[in-house]
Amino acid sequence: MKKILIATLGCFLFFTSFASDGYVSKNAKNNFAHLFENATNVKWEGTADFYRASFYTDDDFRQAYFNLNGDYIGLSKTVKLKDLSSKISKKLLSDYEGYMVRELASFETAEGDFNYFAVAENEKEKVTVKITIDGGFSVVKRTKK
């Protein structure tokens, strides 16, 4: 259950804007520095519940998430449709025909669980979909326009 919660949380973390009061725990910064030694252009943001470090490694944009104790939660990375397996990309385009895929990201938890999250929208709604590596799809959030 905890893994499902964290993976679902990853989706909301990745696709959510953060407002920051400027404070980031020393533990989060230390853990980040240890995990991502080659990170460049690091920018920290936070909410009342989480910290997010946005950064680059090898020209790839990534976002690492930490809880308020500074413990590592997971890592997201923007991906392209071509990065998905053909089975998953075909299913996404078929299930959401008439939708535009606006955002697509991978999210790997600290425990090693891996999922993709897609935001697709049409003129009526915006849908956030969790996609497992074996091709399972589930709607995480649906918003009417």
Side-chain angles (χ1 to χ4, degrees):
M1 181 68 177
K2 181 180 176 186
K3 289 181 182 181
I4 293 170
L5 177 62
I6 289 174
T8 302
L9 184 61
C11 164
F12 291 112
L13 293 173
F14 184 77
F15 297 118
T16 301
S17 296
F18 278 53
S20 179
D21 63 3
Y23 175 79
V24 176
S25 79
K26 185 176 180 179
N27 196 36
K29 287 183 176 181
N30 287 341
N31 284 336
F32 175 83
H34 176 74
L35 291 167
F36 305 101
E37 295 173 352
N38 297 323
T40 60
N41 299 325
V42 180
K43 180 182 174 190
W44 285 94
E45 301 168 286
T47 69
D49 300 309
F50 300 96
Y51 300 116
R52 175 174 68 186
S54 300
F55 62 100
Y56 288 86
T57 57
D58 302 323
D59 295 326
D60 287 329
F61 179 72
R62 299 170 189 255
Q63 295 177 311
Y65 297 90
F66 299 83
N67 65 22
L68 294 180
N69 293 326
D71 300 320
Y72 177 63
I73 296 171
L75 179 70
S76 68
K77 177 183 173 186
T78 301
V79 295
K80 296 181 177 164
L81 199 56
K82 68 179 184 161
D83 297 328
L84 302 176
S85 72
S86 62
K87 173 186 171 186
I88 291 174
S89 61
K90 285 178 186 176
K91 181 169 173 43
L92 178 62
L93 295 174
S94 172
D95 287 2
Y96 293 93
E97 186 175 348
Y99 287 73
M100 175 67 76
V101 177
R102 298 284 183 198
E103 299 177 66
L104 187 59
S106 63
F107 188 81
E108 184 173 3
T109 67
E111 292 84 14
D113 295 323
F114 186 89
N115 294 289
Y116 293 104
F117 291 91
V119 175
E121 62 181 295
N122 62 18
E123 63 281 345
K124 296 180 184 177
E125 66 179 355
K126 184 176 182 179
V127 181
T128 302
V129 181
K130 175 184 170 184
I131 308 165
T132 61
I133 57 173
D134 62 356
F137 280 58
S138 59
V139 174
V140 177
K141 183 178 180 183
R142 186 180 303 267
T143 307
K144 300 283 183 196
K145 288 186 171 182

